[in-house]
Amino acid sequence: MKIGLTQNDYPIKRNILNKVSECEYVFLRKNNNLFHSLATLKKIILRKKTDIEGKYFFYQKPKIDILHLYNDINYSSQKWVASFETLVPRFSETKNDHQQTEPQHIRNKKTENALRQIGKKSCLGIISISQASANIQLELLKNYPDFQEMVKSKLSVIHPSQDIIPRDSQEIYQNTESFNLVFVGTQFHLKGGVEMIEVLKKLREKYNFRLSIISSFKTDHYVTKVTEKEALETKEMLKKEEWIEIYENIPNEKVIELIKKAHIGLLPTWSDTYGFSVLEMQAAGVPVITTDIRALPEINNESCGWLIHLPQNRLKQALYFTAEQREELKKTLKTQLENILEDIFNHPEQLPEKSRNSVERIRKDHDPVVFSEKLKAIYSKA
């Protein structure tokens, strides 16, 4: 069976590419996407950019059995599947509905037409990578009762797969005189890096630890609104700290090496659709401190790690929409992170059990064989 893919980026590699061994995967040309070609022409002729996000339409049908999209909708007759991390369709009219104190959606024809495509026989299913994202999808469907049951019948939740990463955790936890901490996040500020550093600087007065930061310090324009200048200043400030090592743009193999040396992982994030770094840490037996927004409480808990409980709306999005909410979020995050770290440093005997439970959770909930079988069952509908 040939599976067509439209991109070769991290989400595709993590959730779709080579996940079913019996399938052959084919990368399709961008110029085979009608919307992409029309947008390019419009940009050349009218010097006006067109939003093609969330759309795919073949004008020259490729030789594939199934098109597997990520966050996109197919408008052709080709049989297709879509995996998603927030919802589909992911249009400007839908993608920010959940990012409000009280989530709301304004009904529109564009979204209605996209949901109609999901309802057609050519759509084999839509796959949410978490229950949190499935809930955002179900919230959208409440606004379109004519399509609600049809789309809901095609919705499934399949968490990403994760291989176990071997390491000698027993040896790591025999030495707790000094702790190795690891933080992985492209967007340092968005992932709670600034608040984490403030807490760790305070705790350095009493405890012995080192921190590895794996980040490109990329800015974000929708949550923390940090500028490139501010991000660069933060990075330069951190480089002066002798207890911090910074790694930028390193291959995944090197990331795994650093994770394997850690006692504890950190992801005190303001916003995240999933938290793939958490899976890698847990797979190596590294328990993680995370916030409890979006999918994170589905993949982390007090048995295998620690949770920071943030103020959030009913769709598990942290409340950061006003200046007052952001200040409350920072305060809550720092207070709880400090308490958790102090408890760990004073009671390191809890680490080996959480390490074992982390690995067992990955074995149970992210088995690559089970993931493959679930995906294969959806493909078999073709």
Side-chain angles (χ1 to χ4, degrees):
M1 182 179 284
K2 285 189 177 181
I3 308 298
L5 304 175
T6 61
Q7 301 170 77
N8 190 21
D9 53 11
Y10 183 78
I12 296 288
K13 292 174 182 175
R14 197 67 183 72
N15 294 284
I16 303 171
L17 181 62
N18 298 328
K19 297 303 179 184
V20 179
S21 59
E22 298 91 330
C23 293
E24 178 185 349
Y25 294 83
V26 180
F27 288 102
L28 307 176
R29 302 190 316 273
K30 267 193 175 180
N31 63 7
N32 206 28
N33 177 355
L34 181 60
F35 288 108
H36 182 272
S37 298
L38 290 174
T40 302
L41 284 171
K42 189 173 182 180
K43 187 176 181 181
I44 293 170
I45 297 169
L46 303 177
R47 297 175 182 265
K48 188 175 181 181
K49 190 176 179 181
T50 302
D51 177 19
I52 63 162
E53 191 174 41
K55 304 176 186 177
Y56 211 91
F57 186 96
F58 296 108
Y59 59 90
Q60 180 185 346
K61 194 171 182 180
K63 295 177 181 177
I64 58 173
D65 297 297
I66 298 169
L67 173 67
H68 196 150
L69 298 169
Y70 195 80
N71 291 337
D72 287 343
I73 295 287
N74 175 39
Y75 289 80
S76 77
S77 60
Q78 172 70 53
K79 290 178 180 177
W80 63 288
V81 177
S83 294
F84 65 92
E85 60 190 33
T86 299
L87 83 174
V88 282
R90 190 181 186 277
F91 295 151
S92 57
E93 292 85 350
T94 62
K95 66 182 181 181
N96 296 318
D97 293 347
H98 61 290
Q99 296 197 57
Q100 304 174 66
T101 302
E102 178 53 41
Q104 57 183 325
H105 172 76
I106 299 172
R107 183 170 172 145
N108 62 88
K109 283 290 184 184
K110 182 180 172 184
T111 300
E112 184 178 317
N113 289 336
L115 293 174
R116 184 176 287 110
Q117 295 303 126
I118 297 173
K120 290 181 178 179
K121 287 184 179 180
S122 57
C123 177
L124 306 178
I126 55 171
I127 304 167
S128 172
I129 66 172
S130 71
Q131 186 57 53
S133 294
N135 291 342
I136 293 172
Q137 183 72 42
L138 294 172
E139 184 73 15
L140 173 68
L141 292 176
K142 290 177 183 177
N143 298 278
Y144 301 88
D146 292 348
F147 301 98
Q148 192 168 12
E149 290 307 313
M150 174 60 76
V151 175
K152 190 176 177 180
S153 70
K154 295 193 177 186
L155 173 64
S156 58
V157 177
I158 307 179
H159 281 267
S161 63
Q162 175 65 53
D163 291 316
I164 298 298
I165 299 170
R167 79 159 184 172
D168 189 346
S169 291
Q170 187 174 356
E171 182 182 345
I172 294 288
Y173 292 118
Q174 279 177 349
N175 177 21
T176 53
E177 292 179 7
S178 176
F179 296 86
N180 289 327
L181 315 180
V182 64
F183 169 96
V184 182
T186 302
Q187 296 165 301
F188 183 78
H189 293 73
L190 178 66
K191 306 301 180 182
V194 171
E195 291 74 32
M196 173 187 72
I197 294 298
E198 288 179 20
V199 169
L200 290 175
K201 278 186 173 181
K202 183 178 178 182
L203 294 177
R204 282 282 296 167
E205 299 169 8
K206 294 196 291 182
Y207 305 102
N208 189 16
F209 54 80
R210 296 188 63 80
L211 172 66
S212 295
I213 296 174
I214 304 166
S215 178
S216 58
F217 292 83
K218 190 176 177 183
T219 58
D220 80 273
H221 303 291
Y222 70 98
V223 181
T224 62
K225 297 180 173 62
V226 65
T227 65
E228 288 187 14
K229 181 176 179 288
E230 289 169 328
L232 181 61
E233 288 172 352
T234 299
K235 182 171 66 174
E236 293 306 312
M237 178 270 291
L238 293 174
K239 284 181 178 179
K240 296 174 184 176
E241 299 289 342
E242 56 85 21
W243 54 280
I244 297 175
E245 293 286 344
I246 296 176
Y247 301 87
E248 294 183 75
N249 304 314
I250 60 174
N252 190 248
E253 295 76 22
K254 178 65 175 176
V255 175
I256 298 301
E257 280 181 32
L258 292 167
I259 285 174
K260 289 169 72 172
K261 294 175 183 176
H263 291 84
I264 308 156
L266 293 155
L267 189 67
T269 184
W270 289 39
S271 181
D272 219 311
T273 54
Y274 195 81
F276 291 110
S277 64
V278 175
L279 298 190
E280 292 181 330
M281 292 180 197
Q282 291 175 337
V286 180
V288 192
I289 304 170
T290 71
T291 51
D292 67 339
I293 48 99
R294 292 292 291 273
L296 289 168
E298 298 174 47
I299 63 174
N300 195 30
N301 56 58
E302 301 293 342
S303 173
C304 63
W306 304 264
L307 288 173
I308 297 167
H309 302 283
L310 295 183
Q312 55 193 261
N313 66 21
R314 57 189 168 83
L315 292 178
K316 300 201 69 61
Q317 194 76 18
L319 298 179
Y320 47 69
F321 313 114
T322 67
E324 292 77 12
Q325 287 176 343
R326 285 194 290 276
E327 286 307 308
E328 181 62 26
L329 186 151
K330 291 177 187 178
K331 180 182 173 183
T332 302
L333 196 161
K334 287 191 287 186
T335 299
Q336 292 187 35
L337 179 58
E338 182 177 348
N339 291 340
I340 290 168
L341 284 168
E342 285 228 73
D343 184 65
I344 293 169
F345 296 150
N346 289 324
H347 303 283
E349 65 275 8
Q350 65 187 288
L351 293 172
E353 183 180 358
K354 285 185 185 277
S355 171
R356 288 190 296 271
N357 290 345
S358 293
V359 175
E360 285 308 308
R361 200 201 70 75
I362 293 294
R363 282 203 179 98
K364 176 175 171 285
D365 297 336
H366 302 273
D367 186 334
V369 175
V370 174
F371 180 90
S372 178
E373 290 299 321
K374 288 180 178 179
L375 208 51
K376 199 188 306 180
I378 294 172
Y379 289 164
S380 68
K381 296 175 184 178

